[in-house]
Amino acid sequence: MARTETSTHCPYCALQCGMKLRPVTDGTVVEVVERTDFPVNRGALCGKGRTAPAVLSAGVRLTGPLVRGAASGELEPAGWDEALERIAEGLGGTRAEHGADAVGVFGGGGLTNEKAYALGKFARVVLGTSQIDYNGRFCMSSAAAAHQRAFGLDRGLPFPLEDIPRTGCVILVGSNLAETMPPALRYLTELRENGGRLIVIDPRRTRTAEQADLHLAPRPGTDLALALGMLHLVVAEGRVDEEFVRTRTSGWDEARAGAMAHWPELVERITGVPVPQLREAVEMFCGAGSGMVLTARGPEQQAKGTDTVGAWINFCLATGRAGRPLSGYGCLTGQGNGQGGREHGQKADQLPGYRKLTDPAARRHVAGVWGVDPDSLPGPGRSAYELLDALGRDVRSLLVMASNPVVSAPRAGHIEERLRSLDFLAVADVVLSETAALADVVLPVTQWAEETGTMTNLEGRVLLRQQAVTPPPGVRSDLEVLHALAGLLGHKKGFPADPEEVFDELRRASAGGPADYAGITYARIAEEDGVFWPCPDEEHAGTPRLFLERFATDDGLARFVPVVHRPAAEETDAAYPVVLTTGRVVSQYQSGAQTRRVDELNAAAPGPFVELHPRLAERIGVAEGDAVAVTSRRGRAVAPARITVAIRQDTVFMPFHWPGEGRANTLTNPALDPVSRMPEFKVCAVRVEAAG
């Protein structure tokens, strides 16, 4: 039964918009009420946020455990004791027979900080496995790696969103905020109202691009060349901030040499962006007194994503647009807890507090909090795609929490086969996702409105979601699941089910680390509308703005990293002459596991489509709504045509929210960035034809 009106946050993207939940009718359901006092969204909500309570309904969510029947081969209702024992036997049996690293754990960027922390601890302490990663690897890992290389610290935005309307110029690279984070579009609107300029870089003329003063439409996969070409012009036109470069950076000479090899005419040939537009963009950005470059999945989800983001950081550093008020580079994190999810231990190479798993001091600190021998902690494991690719071979059993890789992973048909080949698969989720449908055991877990926990939004603001609704009797929290499984596997202590108790331990584990939460408490978060990390003690005010005095490197200087353009991992040819790029639509979210169960959202976005230019449509003989077949070297997808001049003639776009024959990720290329291990979702070569 619902309680009184409760302040909380949206369950979807990394804005983590504030909202209130109010009981209606008999108190068994709630409605969303605007929360105008929360500074991030100031009451605004998109359709997904407004309709979020629909997923709380017993008709769409899981309300009891399921186990696969030995005789029927189908998922059947079961009690909690049976389900948990089956999981303990499955994971424990694999570990005993094949070793700890034969057991894998795959987490999600939607898990609260408490659950992400507990999941990482469970993998390393209870299972003893190195094989843990999460779907946030598919989100902003390239930006995180570039942040680390240049600044010594990774936080999506080094400044609060409220600074964006006050800067002079924003370059938005590969982001369609109007559809992915609609409440954030107001920041760009206010920017222009204040006299600032907006440049949008996207191969499609999206709803966001329509708001821009200048829209550049490069060929997918060429963002790195574009950034280098603009930096070349900064140097050639004498726009380098020499004083900033001399006093606050290192490595400029090497980075400048790389940029000078990318003269404007060459960049035009690579990207398709005319030289006059390149010059106009540089003039617009450098002519403003301050500026920001914001990237999203477009430049990041590439096999050269880390270098691409690095090139944009170099551009910011060379122009003195970093480490200063109202200026800097930032990444627009996608998933709800994509930031906090990787900070506290479910990423393959990290320990809580954003500590490195290979750092002996970090291992000693965290092991001390956990009460274990540092030498007992496993080393780094496989990245997300590599872990999924190893299923059924090196990794024989898998525990999945809050992720749906059957739809969201690249080369998804192959990953579905790997999941089916496992000796044992357990999934804990809110709904029966496509991945859960393959499992041997499915556990129904609480969701956003039914539990308390913290999230860290794209600004690095740690927020508190508060329980507003009592979950159904057959549902338990992920923390309760981990507590029970740890006990069955011989660890009776160390895995509390109370979220605040877990958070207090997380604070101790993160203390002194790059992502220091030691001074953040539930009470402070509630009183202050969130607290920005790092926050080393309870007297500290938090850190809304990073790098104003020094960067987080050993010498306090930002590092230029020399980069050069290279082709996509898979270029077009005669057999596959068109480029596919993928993304989201406003009424669905990620793999669609939750939003595809909401009638209002399905009415607005009922299924997949192929967006293509009229000339390409004419060439292959299809009209609006006709079935189009898109084929890559990995598979074939079919969806209705959506014909528009808003896309390049050499490019098609597909949203990735749906399973089945319209599954976009059947086609995508799992080629990995050598640093971030990000797959190349955003560009692959395809053949496009009438479905016939």
Side-chain angles (χ1 to χ4, degrees):
M1 180 171 291
R3 301 166 180 165
T4 57
E5 190 173 279
T6 304
S7 293
T8 190
H9 296 273
C10 177
Y12 294 114
C13 81
L15 281 180
Q16 284 300 286
C17 291
M19 60 168 61
K20 293 182 180 180
L21 296 180
R22 182 169 62 198
V24 295
T25 61
D26 61 354
T28 61
V29 295
V30 291
E31 64 180 357
V32 171
V33 180
E34 289 184 358
R35 184 179 163 193
T36 57
D37 62 330
F38 186 65
V40 171
N41 61 310
R42 290 174 267 168
L45 292 167
C46 72
K48 295 186 292 292
R50 286 189 298 97
T51 60
V55 188
L56 297 169
S57 169
V60 299
R61 55 92 55 80
L62 294 167
T63 55
L66 303 171
V67 300
R68 195 163 298 280
S72 69
E74 302 295 325
L75 287 172
E76 301 170 349
W80 270 96
D81 288 346
E82 178 187 355
L84 290 167
E85 287 169 3
R86 285 274 296 267
I87 296 175
E89 290 169 2
L91 302 180
T94 296
R95 183 181 60 181
E97 184 175 355
H98 300 286
D101 276 356
V103 182
V105 175
F106 199 83
L111 293 175
T112 63
N113 289 316
E114 293 82 357
K115 293 190 284 188
Y117 171 83
L119 186 62
K121 181 181 178 182
F122 177 83
R124 296 182 173 101
V125 173
V126 176
L127 299 176
T129 182
S130 67
Q131 301 304 302
I132 174 173
D133 211 78
Y134 82 128
N135 62 18
R137 177 78 69 169
F138 300 156
C139 178
M140 58 173 289
S141 58
S142 294
H147 259 127
Q148 292 279 14
R149 292 200 310 193
F151 305 133
L153 182 69
D154 161 39
R155 198 179 83 187
L157 293 181
F159 40 73
L161 286 163
E162 66 186 45
D163 284 1
I164 293 175
R166 300 161 57 208
T167 193
C169 182
V170 169
I171 299 179
L172 187 65
V173 189
S175 171
N176 183 11
L177 278 180
E179 302 227 16
T180 59
M181 296 180 176
L185 191 64
R186 68 175 6 165
Y187 291 101
L188 301 180
T189 302
E190 292 170 5
L191 167 75
R192 299 188 68 204
E193 290 172 348
N194 292 340
R197 311 298 293 278
L198 174 62
I199 302 168
V200 172
I201 298 173
D202 197 304
R204 305 165 61 221
R205 188 164 181 80
T206 63
R207 289 172 53 202
T208 308
E210 290 174 352
Q211 308 298 313
D213 296 284
L214 177 64
H215 172 217
L216 309 182
R219 189 172 188 265
T222 65
D223 308 84
L224 176 52
L226 183 69
L228 287 164
M230 290 175 62
L231 181 54
H232 177 110
L233 287 171
V234 166
V235 176
E237 296 176 359
R239 298 179 183 273
V240 176
D241 188 329
E242 301 287 357
E243 173 69 11
F244 180 88
V245 169
R246 181 179 62 82
T247 60
R248 298 206 59 193
T249 73
S250 64
W252 168 232
D253 289 344
E254 294 84 358
R256 177 177 57 194
M260 297 316 289
H262 297 77
W263 59 94
E265 291 75 15
L266 172 64
V267 170
E268 179 180 303
R269 289 200 298 273
I270 294 171
T271 66
V273 177
V275 172
Q277 287 191 359
L278 294 174
R279 295 187 185 279
E280 184 180 359
V282 170
E283 166 64 32
M284 194 177 292
F285 188 77
C286 294
S290 56
M292 299 173 178
V293 174
L294 306 177
T295 68
R297 306 303 78 75
E300 297 163 18
Q301 287 181 326
Q302 298 184 31
K304 53 182 179 292
T306 302
D307 283 356
T308 302
V309 173
W312 286 112
I313 291 175
N314 288 348
F315 179 77
C316 287
L317 294 175
T319 55
R321 304 305 202 262
R324 287 175 168 170
L326 306 181
S327 289
Y329 163 77
C331 167
L332 300 171
T333 308
Q335 292 195 78
N337 203 29
Q339 181 71 51
R342 70 181 179 282
E343 292 169 4
H344 300 300
Q346 61 172 336
K347 192 162 173 276
D349 56 352
Q350 287 176 191
L351 289 169
Y354 226 135
R355 287 182 159 92
K356 293 181 179 179
L357 193 53
T358 53
D359 178 359
R363 293 170 67 90
R364 285 194 300 271
H365 174 85
V366 174
V369 174
W370 289 351
V372 300
D373 183 344
D375 293 338
S376 71
L377 298 178
R382 294 175 173 87
S383 71
Y385 181 79
E386 291 165 305
L387 171 57
L388 295 171
D389 186 46
L391 299 180
R393 296 187 286 256
D394 296 329
V395 178
R396 309 291 293 269
S397 291
L398 184 70
L399 171 64
V400 177
M401 279 191 164
S403 189
N404 189 18
V406 167
V407 178
S408 64
R411 197 186 173 196
H414 170 70
I415 297 306
E416 183 175 346
E417 291 175 1
R418 300 319 319 147
L419 285 160
R420 291 181 183 277
S421 73
L422 283 164
D423 294 345
F424 180 79
L425 172 63
V427 175
D429 210 332
V430 171
V431 296
L432 189 66
S433 69
E434 287 72 22
T435 302
L438 304 180
D440 297 286
V441 180
V442 181
L443 298 181
V445 290
T446 52
Q447 50 182 307
W448 62 292
E450 299 165 345
E451 60 187 12
T452 294
T454 60
M455 306 285 281
T456 305
N457 81 343
L458 75 172
E459 308 166 293
R461 186 194 302 254
V462 185
L463 305 165
L464 182 64
R465 283 186 184 169
Q466 299 189 83
Q467 183 181 2
V469 176
T470 301
V475 173
R476 298 184 186 180
S477 74
D478 295 278
L479 293 179
E480 290 174 317
V481 168
L482 294 174
H483 170 81
L485 289 176
L488 289 170
L489 291 166
H491 292 257
K492 301 296 184 183
K493 296 181 179 180
F495 291 87
D498 177 71
E500 190 165 9
E501 187 177 348
V502 176
F503 188 74
D504 285 341
E505 183 181 310
L506 180 159
R507 293 168 59 202
R508 298 195 300 276
S510 73
D516 191 335
Y517 282 33
I520 305 175
T521 66
Y522 276 23
R524 280 195 66 182
I525 297 171
E527 292 168 3
E528 301 173 27
D529 282 331
V531 180
F532 291 85
W533 70 261
C535 183
D537 59 69
E538 293 187 40
E539 302 304 314
H540 193 282
T543 314
R545 296 170 181 86
L546 297 170
F547 312 140
L548 295 182
E549 297 180 2
R550 69 187 312 274
F551 294 95
T553 56
D554 291 340
D555 58 10
L557 302 178
R559 305 185 190 98
F560 281 98
V561 177
V563 295
V564 295
H565 176 70
R566 58 186 185 272
E570 182 178 76
E571 292 283 277
T572 55
D573 56 21
Y576 300 94
V578 177
V579 177
L580 168 71
T581 192
T582 64
R584 286 170 48 190
V585 297
V586 67
S587 293
Q588 300 289 351
Y589 181 72
Q590 304 300 75
S591 75
Q594 295 176 64
T595 52
R596 285 187 276 111
R597 288 166 167 80
V598 179
D599 291 342
E600 181 179 330
L601 300 178
N602 283 333
F609 59 85
V610 179
E611 184 178 282
L612 69 167
H613 191 277
R615 290 186 181 175
L616 177 56
E618 181 180 9
R619 191 158 69 243
I620 65 173
V622 299
E624 180 76 14
D626 287 353
V628 176
V630 183
T631 306
S632 77
R633 290 177 174 85
R634 288 153 297 280
R636 181 175 186 264
V638 178
R642 184 173 294 184
I643 301 172
T644 174
V645 295
I647 192 168
R648 292 174 55 96
Q649 297 179 40
D650 58 4
T651 301
V652 295
F653 166 84
M654 291 185 71
F656 58 76
H657 310 290
W658 288 274
E661 71 170 1
R663 182 175 60 185
N665 277 320
T666 296
L667 309 169
T668 48
N669 190 354
L672 301 180
D673 181 288
V675 180
S676 68
R677 315 310 287 169
M678 167 73 83
E680 191 152 70
F681 287 100
K682 281 295 187 266
V683 50
C684 71
V686 297
R687 180 173 64 251
V688 183
E689 55 203 342

